[in-house]
């Protein structure tokens, strides 16, 4: 991306929430590298005070290898000076009013200066506690919107959601905003305030019953999944993200809003360099398990499309759409950012690529010897998966349990350990089931319209590059090597 693409950020002040997150880091790096004349970056992180916020940004953002290109370009001392001059750490919590910013002077400065707000804060656990997910994913965006309305010159709120707010829909999925209270199964409208009240009542009930912290946590997780499924969503994460979108659309008034809905975000394709990733993302846990020889069976429809998008391409879309809708008071635009429509890759292809990669470049076991990856038993439906795991794992476990009754000291603990692992594995499979047999394709016509509008420019090239990804090359030479390295 050339600097002119971020020209609109010159002398602008930007607030980024969730600044220590994977996507936000890449966005911040891009802005500092290509638009050092940005006036100020307020970076909000969960922290108790300014000192801890500053320390957290230092260790979790600016010390990362992601910044090595910028560090090499300007030098270590100049980078420190740039960060010191441009970046303001903000300790806060988006689940609170005014995003939990307690320093009144800092709050006033932010309200006077901020032009653009980028909200990338979220909890992405599929089975997050319902109270936590509602606070961050649902009411967090509303708190940010209400803060934006208090700002003197807010000209855009860019909110990062997820394409999977669509639930388990199949076919072509359009870039439509949610109506307030809309559900996916056509049942009674969801009352978001009532959901929060339900959570508060549940918390009081659990406390009265004397539940432990761990028992309360599990009860809140179960409540979230139950409420999500009641209204047609497969898990707490996408349900609470969808409600967050509803609140933004319903309460925005004249605030320009862009909602970015990325699909499965993976490591960088090229910018600032290929293959940077942090942590084990959704599909990466499968890749790592396979490479370590631990994946024996897997629930997936081989012919389903796995909608992947490199993180730097999501940032491209964020910057390009922000530039397009900056100061556009009528804007409430949804952008899918994914690959399934323009450049699909099927799970079958990914499995073949993984097999070839780890056959050619096996990981080493603890004994120093190459790990031979197994032939994975692929099961395309949950019914088949349950039958297979019952015969392969559950039946032997039941036999072990019975033997443990006769030899408790030798076998009792072994059964408990293996049974717990089995139950955890089955819970995770159930959570991921909607995505490994997903039948939807994400329409991205809004991004395509913008590309056509900017045909012949660098914006055209940036947005259009999604359809030119060579997935075999990306996995073999960029993503998996990056995953193994980082």
């Amino acid at each position: 991306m050339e600097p002119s693409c971020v020209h609109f950020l010159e002398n602008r002040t930007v607030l980024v929430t969730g600044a220590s997150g994977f996507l936000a880091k890449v966005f911040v790096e891009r802005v500092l590298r290509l638009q050092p004349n940005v006036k100020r970056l307020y970076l909000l992180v969960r922290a108790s005070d300014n000192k801890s916020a500053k320390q957290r940004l230092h260790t979790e953002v600016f010390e990362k290898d992601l910044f090595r290109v910028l560090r090499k370009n300007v030098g270590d001392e100049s980078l420190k000076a740039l960060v010191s001059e441009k970046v303001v750490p903000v300790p806060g919590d988006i689940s609170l009013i005014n995003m939990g910013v307690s320093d009144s002077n800092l709050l006033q400065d932010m309200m006077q200066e901020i032009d653009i707000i980028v909200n990338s804060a979220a909890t992405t656990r599929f089975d997050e506690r319902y109270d936590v997910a509602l606070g961050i994913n649902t009411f967090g965006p509303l708190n940010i919107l209400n803060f934006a309305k208090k700002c003197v010159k807010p000209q855009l709120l860019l909110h990062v959601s997820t394409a999977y707010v669509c639930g388990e829909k199949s076919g072509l999925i359009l870039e439509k905003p949610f109506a307030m209270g809309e559900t996916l199964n056509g049942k009674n409208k969801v009352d978001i305030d009532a959901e929060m009240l339900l959570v508060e009542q549940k918390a009081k009930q659990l406390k009265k019953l004397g539940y432990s912290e761990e028992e309360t946590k599990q009860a809140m997780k179960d409540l979230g999944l139950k409420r999500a499924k009641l209204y047609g969503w497969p898990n707490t994460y996408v349900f609470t993200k969808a409600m967050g979108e509803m609140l933004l659309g319903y309460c925005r008034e004249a605030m320009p809003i862009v909602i970015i809905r990325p699909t499965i975000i993976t490591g960088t394709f090229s910018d600032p360099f290929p293959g940077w990733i942090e942590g084990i993302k959704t599909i990466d846990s499968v890749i790592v398990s396979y490479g370590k020889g631990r994946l024996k069976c897997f629930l997936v429809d081989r012919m389903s499309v796995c909608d992947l998008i490199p993180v730097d391409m999501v940032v491209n879309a964020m910057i390009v759409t922000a530039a397009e809708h900056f100061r556009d008071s009528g804007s409430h635009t949804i952008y899918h950012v994914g690959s399934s429509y323009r450049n699909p890759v099927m799970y079958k292809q990914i499995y073949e690529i993984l097999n070839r990669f780890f056959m050619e470049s096996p990981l080493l076991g603890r004994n120093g010897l190459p790990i031979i990856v197994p032939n994975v038993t692929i099961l395309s439906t949950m019914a088949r998966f349950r039958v297979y795991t019952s015969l392969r794992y559950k039946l032997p476990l039941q036999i072990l349990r019975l033997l443990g009754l006769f030899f408790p000291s030798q076998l009792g603990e072994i059964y408990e350990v293996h049974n717990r692992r089995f139950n955890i594995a089955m819970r995770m499979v159930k959570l991921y089931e909607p995505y490994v047999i997903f039948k939807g394709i994400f329409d991205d016509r809004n991004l395509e319209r913008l590309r056509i509008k900017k045909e012949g420019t660098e914006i055209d090239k940036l947005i259009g590059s999604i359809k030119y990804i060579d997935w075999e090359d990306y996995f073999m030479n960029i993503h998996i090597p990056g995953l193994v390295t980082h």
Side-chain angles (χ1 to χ4, degrees), residues 47 113 324 343 412 429:
E113 295 178 19
E324 176 68 12
N343 187 9
V429 166

Side-chain angles (χ1 to χ4, degrees), residues 199-448:
V199 160
E200 291 169 357
Q201 291 171 343
K202 184 72 172 180
K204 288 177 183 176
Q205 180 190 30
L206 296 174
K207 187 176 181 180
K208 188 176 180 180
L209 292 171
Y211 273 44
S212 67
E213 179 58 33
E214 190 58 38
E215 288 171 331
T216 300
K217 179 181 177 182
Q218 190 58 55
M220 284 295 186
K221 283 187 171 187
D222 293 341
L223 178 63
L225 291 171
K226 180 181 176 182
R227 300 304 291 179
K229 288 169 183 174
L230 176 65
Y231 294 111
W233 280 271
N235 59 59
T236 310
Y237 168 56
V238 292
F239 177 44
T240 53
K241 289 293 282 185
M243 289 191 289
E245 285 195 24
M246 291 176 200
L247 287 175
L248 285 179
Y250 186 74
C251 301
R252 76 179 190 90
E253 296 174 352
M255 179 66 62
I257 289 181
V258 167
I259 296 178
I260 296 288
R261 290 179 182 166
T263 53
I264 301 171
I265 302 178
T266 57
T268 55
F269 181 73
S270 61
D271 200 3
F273 55 87
W276 185 79
I277 193 165
E278 184 177 58
I280 303 295
K281 310 303 174 191
T282 45
I283 193 173
D284 300 329
S285 58
V286 177
I287 295 173
V288 170
S289 295
Y290 180 70
K292 290 183 176 181
R294 296 174 182 168
L295 195 67
K296 310 297 183 184
C297 65
F298 194 62
L299 169 67
V300 67
D301 182 346
R302 288 171 177 262
M303 303 310 290
S304 285
V305 171
C306 181
D307 199 319
L308 306 170
I309 185 72
V311 63
D312 47 333
M313 293 189 174
V314 179
V315 169
N316 286 347
M318 290 167 66
I319 291 174
V320 167
T321 56
E324 176 68 12
H325 295 282
F326 185 60
R327 293 175 174 165
D328 180 5
S329 62
S331 175
H332 177 202
T333 313
I334 312 288
Y335 287 94
H336 281 151
V337 186
S339 59
S340 58
Y341 189 76
R342 309 278 164 191
N343 187 9
V345 59
M346 292 184 294
Y347 281 104
K348 177 177 181 288
Q349 297 167 267
I350 294 174
Y351 176 69
E352 291 168 354
I353 293 167
L354 294 185
N355 182 261
R356 190 160 71 255
F357 180 91
F358 287 113
M359 291 292 285
E360 295 175 4
S361 307
L363 299 179
L364 300 180
R366 291 181 180 178
N367 57 6
L369 297 175
I371 296 171
I372 306 302
V373 292
N375 288 321
V376 180
T377 300
I378 303 292
L379 301 140
S380 60
T381 68
M382 193 63 176
R384 291 177 183 173
F385 187 82
R386 284 200 181 100
V387 169
Y388 177 85
T389 52
S390 292
L391 295 172
R392 179 72 175 79
Y393 299 106
K394 199 167 185 178
L395 182 59
L397 272 174
Q398 293 306 314
I399 294 171
L400 183 61
R401 184 181 68 83
L402 291 172
L403 291 172
L405 296 176
F406 295 100
F407 308 101
S409 59
Q410 297 99 320
L411 300 177
E413 188 175 338
I414 294 174
Y415 164 75
E416 291 297 334
V417 169
H418 285 282
N419 188 56
R420 186 166 58 251
R421 287 177 180 171
F422 176 77
N423 288 334
I424 290 171
M426 290 304 291
R427 181 180 175 89
M428 293 307 295
V429 166
K430 197 171 180 182
L431 285 172
Y432 281 94
E433 178 194 0
Y435 306 106
V436 291
I437 55 175
F438 189 73
K439 299 295 184 183
I441 299 294
F442 293 104
D443 185 23
D444 61 356
R445 68 183 64 188
N446 285 339
L447 208 54
E448 181 65 6

Side-chain angles (χ1 to χ4, degrees), residues 28-36 41 62 70 82 86:
V28 169
E29 189 277 342
R30 186 79 60 88
V31 173
L32 287 176
R33 179 162 48 87
L34 298 183
Q35 186 48 277
L41 287 175
F62 298 113
L70 179 55
L82 179 65
K86 303 292 184 180

